[in-house]
Amino acid sequence: MRKLASLFLFLSLCLAAPAMAQTLEELVPQLPKGNYSDRETVVREIAATGDERAAPVLRALGDRELQVRESDGAVVIVTGRRGSQTATDPLTGADLGPVERRSTEAIKINNGLRRVIKAALGTLNLTNPDPGRRLSAANAAFKSPDPDQLEAIDIALGVEKDPGVARALEEARARTLLETEAPVADRVDAIKTVAARGGSEALAALGAYRNSPEPEIALAAEAGITHVERARAMWAQVQNIWFGLSLGSVLLLAAVGLAITFGVMGVINMAHGELIMIGAYTTFLVQDVIREHAHGLFDYSLLIATPAAFLVAGAIGVGIERGIVRHLYGRPLETLLATWGVSLLLQQTVRTIFGPTNQEVGNPSWMSGAFQFGEMTVTWNRFYIIIFAVVVFLGLLTLLRRTALGLQMRAVTQNRAMAAEMGIPTGRVDALTFGLGAGIAGLAGVALSQIDNVSPNLGQSYIIDSFLVVVFGGAGNLWGTFAAAFSLGIANKFLEPWAGAVLGKILILVFIILFIQKRPRGLFPQRGRAVES
């Protein structure tokens, strides 16, 4: 019934407008005429037109800037300080020149008319043709409840078709109703609506009524606060899981290439972090070229940088394997020291070329901003990085299981000597395997450039975590790496709130050490040269 009455009121205003003054051009000159009651009627009719030009006129009237020019009786908007005031047309915004002293008189308003103007402005915002504007107005009405806007909210509710905006209007009406002397039953229902909205704003609103002298209101507010706090606790856990998945996707990208290298070749590659850094700097160079020569392609910069980073990091990886690592097979300590030396060399080379400071890598428009999921804010860059990590992982699985190179890599992993006897070029497989692991590290650099500082020290932040993921999951087992990355990521985010970031990492490390004592081969053991030796 309330919505039907509001709809009838809105339609009656719209129908009355054509009968008395069909357009804003005919309504504005009527504002100076009659008494305050007459002006209230005209203000409501102006709001009922829904004309976009009505809001500036009403705001000027409320600020006493809407004035009448004595020479011809025209209504103008007068702004500026005394002695340097100028007039503009209230409907077209055209400049009408300077205003002489005492040549205009402000249209008189009182407190009652101010309330009508405020409600009329609310009606214009809440019935704006743009759904986004209507939603913003409804949220603003919830944050700053004003009983004078209750009628405007009712009118907007009566004609609203968008479900999301209608829900926001219902919440704004409930919040506003709590500021009135409405019947207790109505205010109890309003408290339930506000509690269903949830969030810190609802919690603050309900807190003002938990000590209400009316027992029903106080009980309803207490129940609403309990409901909101439970919902917030649940969403806090969901947010921890989301942050854990986000961290897990980063760990997966950083570790999966290392899992390939370590699992197939048994090589502890300490330069893996620098290969991630190479991918990030490749992204920076691609964006730098696009900024200078083809700025319109910036939104496609990551799509261009992805294969480029894979090829550059992969080529460097093949060079490391052919030039250094292949001479040190079977000597893990020397391999570790050699690749550590390569990591220092790559870091210093990057410092020499690009300098030690951070480099700017921008987010394309489709990776910028965030969206709301329940009471949780999700950033687009993290969202796309999770998708990217899963795509890379599935692509790697497909390569290992459906291609000739993948079959050769698996054969070398299972039994290197027998694979060599069957004609598989193990040296070539080693080089391509190392290059593949390095290329995936480059892809990790592309993703990390969107959420971390691109500097020569970028890779050092992830190399230890990458080894922890590989060891925990099982050397060379991709599904083990997948499970380890996401489980460690989620565990980290659940430990951080009460243990802190540093202590949380220490606890994770202690857990992995104890776990490896019981299961030396990790979650998912993999047979391979490193394991057998």
Side-chain angles (χ1 to χ4, degrees):
M1 291 299 293
R2 175 178 58 78
K3 286 192 174 183
L4 289 175
S6 300
L7 180 59
F8 176 77
L9 175 61
F10 180 78
L11 291 175
S12 65
L13 287 174
C14 292
L15 292 173
M20 299 176 62
Q22 295 184 1
T23 65
L24 198 61
E25 284 79 3
E26 295 171 322
L27 284 168
V28 171
Q30 296 182 30
L31 284 170
K33 302 174 183 178
N35 55 28
Y36 293 122
S37 179
D38 296 329
R39 287 186 196 125
E40 288 180 10
T41 302
V42 176
V43 166
R44 289 191 177 97
E45 291 173 2
I46 287 175
T49 63
D51 196 311
E52 291 185 356
R53 300 171 297 171
V57 172
L58 295 179
R59 277 195 291 268
L61 177 61
D63 295 337
R64 294 183 60 82
E65 292 179 346
L66 198 66
Q67 302 184 16
V68 180
R69 194 161 53 193
E70 292 183 356
S71 60
D72 57 2
V75 177
V76 296
I77 295 178
V78 178
T79 55
R81 297 182 178 180
R82 290 185 178 276
S84 60
Q85 292 179 319
T86 58
T88 56
D89 190 294
L91 299 177
T92 65
D95 187 4
L96 301 178
V99 175
E100 297 181 2
R101 190 177 182 184
R102 297 181 181 176
S103 64
T104 61
E105 182 180 0
I107 299 175
K108 295 180 180 179
I109 60 174
N110 60 8
N111 289 336
L113 185 53
R114 285 191 180 92
R115 285 193 293 270
V116 173
I117 292 170
K118 193 171 184 179
L121 285 169
T123 302
L124 284 169
N125 289 328
L126 293 169
T127 57
N128 191 284
D130 182 5
R133 292 274 297 275
R134 298 199 302 273
L135 182 60
S136 297
N139 289 330
F142 183 91
K143 294 176 184 177
S144 303
D146 184 354
D148 292 336
Q149 276 201 316
L150 194 57
E151 181 182 352
I153 294 172
D154 284 336
I155 291 172
L157 260 174
V159 296
E160 185 56 60
K161 303 296 184 184
D162 188 290
V165 178
R167 183 172 59 254
L169 285 170
E170 287 281 5
E171 294 164 353
R173 184 185 187 281
R175 178 69 184 91
T176 305
L177 196 65
L178 291 175
E179 300 293 318
T180 68
E181 296 298 326
V184 172
D186 290 345
R187 281 184 285 163
V188 168
D189 290 339
I191 286 174
K192 293 177 181 177
T193 302
V194 172
R197 175 187 174 104
S200 57
E201 293 170 354
L203 198 61
L206 295 174
Y209 299 97
R210 69 192 313 172
N211 297 320
S212 171
E214 297 164 307
E216 297 92 337
I217 299 293
L219 286 173
E222 193 65 42
I225 289 170
T226 301
H227 171 79
V228 174
E229 288 177 340
R230 285 177 180 171
R232 282 165 63 86
M234 181 198 73
W235 279 106
Q237 301 304 314
V238 173
Q239 191 165 49
N240 279 338
I241 293 173
W242 167 253
F243 287 155
L245 292 175
S246 177
L247 175 60
S249 66
V250 171
L251 294 177
L252 177 63
L253 284 171
V256 70
L258 191 63
I260 296 259
T261 306
F262 189 38
V264 174
M265 307 173 66
V267 173
I268 302 175
N269 180 19
M270 294 300 294
H272 187 77
E274 279 57 50
L275 294 170
I276 294 174
M277 174 197 67
I278 293 297
Y281 272 94
T282 302
T283 307
F284 162 71
L285 287 175
V286 168
Q287 287 195 352
D288 198 43
V289 171
I290 288 176
R291 284 192 184 100
E292 288 187 12
H293 303 289
H295 195 272
L297 296 176
F298 188 81
D299 276 350
Y300 302 96
S301 59
L302 293 188
L303 301 179
I304 299 171
T306 298
F310 180 85
L311 293 174
V312 171
I316 293 175
V318 170
I320 292 172
E321 196 280 334
R322 290 286 86 186
I324 299 173
V325 173
R326 75 187 183 104
H327 303 293
L328 301 174
Y329 286 138
R331 292 179 282 178
L333 181 60
E334 293 180 28
T335 304
L336 185 150
L337 292 174
T339 54
W340 180 57
V342 171
S343 75
L344 296 178
L345 179 63
L346 290 175
Q347 283 186 50
Q348 191 55 47
T349 301
V350 169
R351 283 194 182 92
T352 303
I353 297 174
F354 299 101
T357 57
N358 298 338
Q359 301 297 331
E360 179 187 358
V361 176
N363 293 121
S365 60
W366 50 275
M367 285 189 75
S368 303
F371 64 93
Q372 201 69 22
F373 179 72
E375 296 184 25
M376 183 176 68
T377 301
V378 179
T379 56
W380 283 111
N381 56 357
R382 294 278 184 177
F383 178 78
Y384 281 117
I385 286 173
I386 290 177
I387 294 176
F388 181 67
V390 173
V391 169
V392 169
F393 177 78
L394 294 177
L396 190 55
L397 279 180
T398 302
L399 183 146
L400 291 176
R401 300 191 178 191
R402 303 292 181 184
T403 66
L405 174 61
L407 292 174
Q408 291 176 355
M409 288 171 57
R410 290 161 61 195
V412 172
T413 302
Q414 295 296 324
N415 192 316
R416 172 175 290 272
M418 184 174 290
E421 289 296 329
M422 295 183 67
I424 295 176
T426 55
R428 177 173 170 272
V429 170
D430 286 338
L432 293 178
T433 301
F434 206 97
L436 177 62
I440 294 173
L443 296 181
V446 176
L448 290 174
S449 70
Q450 299 300 294
I451 58 174
D452 207 339
N453 295 323
V454 177
S455 71
N457 298 319
L458 173 64
Q460 295 300 303
S461 304
Y462 297 97
I463 184 64
I464 301 301
D465 288 337
S466 298
F467 275 111
L468 289 178
V469 169
V470 171
V471 171
F472 180 53
N477 190 300
L478 293 187
W479 282 111
T481 303
F482 184 91
F486 284 106
S487 59
L488 291 181
I490 293 172
N492 251 308
K493 291 304 176 182
F494 273 93
L495 286 172
E496 281 181 7
W498 65 271
V502 175
L503 182 57
K505 283 186 176 292
I506 293 173
L507 292 174
I508 292 290
L509 177 60
V510 170
F511 165 76
I512 292 177
I513 292 172
L514 296 175
F515 180 84
I516 295 302
Q517 296 300 311
K518 296 293 184 181
R519 292 177 65 95
R521 297 187 180 182
L523 283 173
F524 300 93
Q526 170 88 351
R527 287 186 59 82
R529 188 174 71 180
V531 175
E532 292 166 355
S533 60

